[in-house]
Amino acid sequence: MGEPLSVEEIQSIVAAFGKAAAEAKRVGFDGIEIHGAHGYLIDQFLWEKTNHREDAYGGDAVARTRFAVEIVKACRAAVGPDYPIVFRFSQWKLGHYDEKLAQTPEELAAILLPIRDAGVDIFHASTRRYWKPEFAGSEKNLAGWTKVLTGKPVITVGSVGLDTNVIEFFTEG
């Protein structure tokens, strides 16, 4: 565990995302994807097990979205209303594949809706196995739940194209 970012450092990172988005648009990119998954910085703010902050960036699920929301808003302000912004997120964490960002659809909504409202056009739902249901009692995967909860277009990924668990194949034969 490192030291928590100061509010000034957070503001600097948010501004850098906005600047990078503007630069991507300026040089001709068709859109941007903000990576908020797999244990990277934004994901560390979203996940209760890594976000132990006691300020406005920590606490309940909605408060933990503040960093992501500020980044999306900065990017949206930098690129305008008609430039595509994708937000990638994941339930699982690198090395902790059974962990979950949200345990229920309601918890997932608490995380995704503020990010959607900040200006995301598309969500990119990363899962370990895209064909597996995300929550008990439902056949929907993470992308399916994301679509229902946000009303936005969704991309899915997670062992796409593989018909076997590659890790188990090499470790167990």
Side-chain angles (χ1 to χ4, degrees):
M1 285 289 256
E3 291 295 315
L5 292 169
S6 69
V7 172
E8 293 77 20
E9 289 170 319
I10 290 171
Q11 292 169 346
S12 175
I13 292 167
V14 168
F17 268 89
K19 185 176 178 182
E23 188 64 10
K25 182 178 180 183
R26 185 189 72 74
V27 299
F29 282 67
D30 294 326
I32 61 165
E33 179 170 276
I34 299 167
H35 200 313
H38 311 133
Y40 288 96
L41 184 59
I42 297 170
D43 189 38
Q44 290 176 31
F45 274 81
L46 294 174
W47 195 30
E48 68 183 339
K49 291 189 180 179
T50 51
N51 184 340
H52 301 146
R53 298 182 72 96
E54 296 179 2
D55 60 8
Y57 293 93
D60 68 13
V62 174
R64 292 190 314 269
T65 69
R66 181 175 177 173
F67 183 56
V69 165
E70 289 180 1
I71 287 171
V72 172
K73 284 182 176 180
C75 291
R76 179 55 68 209
V79 299
D82 299 323
Y83 190 76
I85 296 177
V86 179
F87 187 85
R88 183 173 183 160
F89 73 101
S90 63
Q91 285 275 62
W92 61 275
K93 310 302 167 209
L94 194 59
H96 302 281
Y97 300 119
D98 294 328
E99 293 289 351
K100 297 244 184 198
L101 185 63
Q103 301 298 320
T104 66
E106 294 77 21
E107 288 178 16
L108 186 60
I111 294 165
L112 295 181
L113 294 179
I115 296 169
R116 177 201 67 190
D117 294 345
V120 165
D121 298 298
I122 301 166
F123 283 95
H124 187 170
S126 177
T127 61
R128 292 283 293 154
R129 308 285 183 256
Y130 78 90
W131 59 87
K132 290 189 175 184
E134 193 56 41
F135 302 111
S138 170
E139 293 184 8
K140 289 183 187 70
N141 69 359
L142 184 59
W145 275 108
T146 301
K147 176 79 172 168
V148 167
L149 294 171
T150 68
K152 293 290 184 176
V154 180
I155 301 165
T156 193
V157 67
S159 299
V160 175
L162 300 177
D163 61 0
T164 188
N165 182 326
V166 174
I167 303 296
E168 287 176 6
F169 176 80
F170 285 111
T171 59
E172 300 170 19

